[in-house]
């Protein structure tokens, strides 16, 4: 967890996410990695360090997202906002392959 987020707030964010990455839903215990507290709207874009703007992210998802809030949809070259775990429903935008080896984006937001 990061020193920029008070430990009590970081613990609340992790508990609220059931200790799963809010982007890919990987369970922290199964990855053997320390998950990050992510500013959904980055601080550089005016995002606050508040429960409403924080999410739990595995290192892979956190580094892939970085400071971005928008990206090009690889399926259609359209710019789309990224998934927001506070306002979007995960199962509307993502699903796992039958063997749970690949996370599939179902929408422009999820891809």
């Amino acid at each position: 967890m990061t020193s920029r987020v008070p430990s009590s707030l970081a613990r609340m964010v992790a508990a609220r996410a059931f200790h799963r990455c809010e982007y890919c839903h990987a369970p922290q215990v199964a990855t053997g990695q320390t998950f990050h507290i992510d500013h959904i709207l980055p601080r550089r874009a005016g995002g606050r360090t508040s429960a409403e703007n924080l999410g739990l992210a595995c290192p892979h998802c956190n580094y892939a997202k970085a400071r971005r809030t928008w990206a090009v949809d690889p399926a259609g070259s359209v710019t789309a906002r990224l998934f927001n775990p506070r306002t979007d429903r995960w199962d509307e935008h993502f699903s796992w392959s039958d063997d749970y080896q690949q996370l599939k984006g179902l929408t422009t937001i999820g891809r």
Side-chain angles (χ1 to χ4, degrees), residues 2-110:
T2 178
S3 62
R4 296 181 183 147
V5 176
S7 59
S8 60
L9 183 55
R11 284 192 302 273
M12 186 281 302
V13 169
R16 176 182 65 197
F18 300 102
H19 301 275
R20 290 181 168 268
C21 175
E22 294 190 75
Y23 297 102
C24 72
H25 277 193
Q28 184 171 3
V29 69
T31 68
Q33 298 176 318
T34 299
F35 281 14
H36 304 174
I37 301 297
D38 173 53
H39 284 79
I40 298 164
L41 178 63
R43 287 174 304 175
R44 289 187 180 191
R48 296 183 41 201
T49 300
S50 64
E52 299 79 25
N53 189 46
L54 297 175
L56 190 65
C58 69
H60 176 80
C61 288
N62 194 40
Y63 293 137
K65 177 184 172 280
R67 295 184 209 145
R68 291 186 281 282
T69 57
W70 297 84
V72 175
D73 177 2
S77 300
V78 179
T79 301
R81 70 175 177 81
L82 297 181
F83 176 76
N84 181 329
R86 298 285 71 75
T87 60
D88 296 321
R89 285 182 34 110
W90 191 90
D91 57 349
E92 291 177 2
H93 300 284
F94 303 100
S95 71
W96 281 100
S97 61
D98 290 339
D99 62 2
Y100 292 95
Q101 296 296 310
Q102 183 177 14
L103 181 63
K104 300 184 291 184
L106 304 175
T107 65
T108 56
I109 291 171

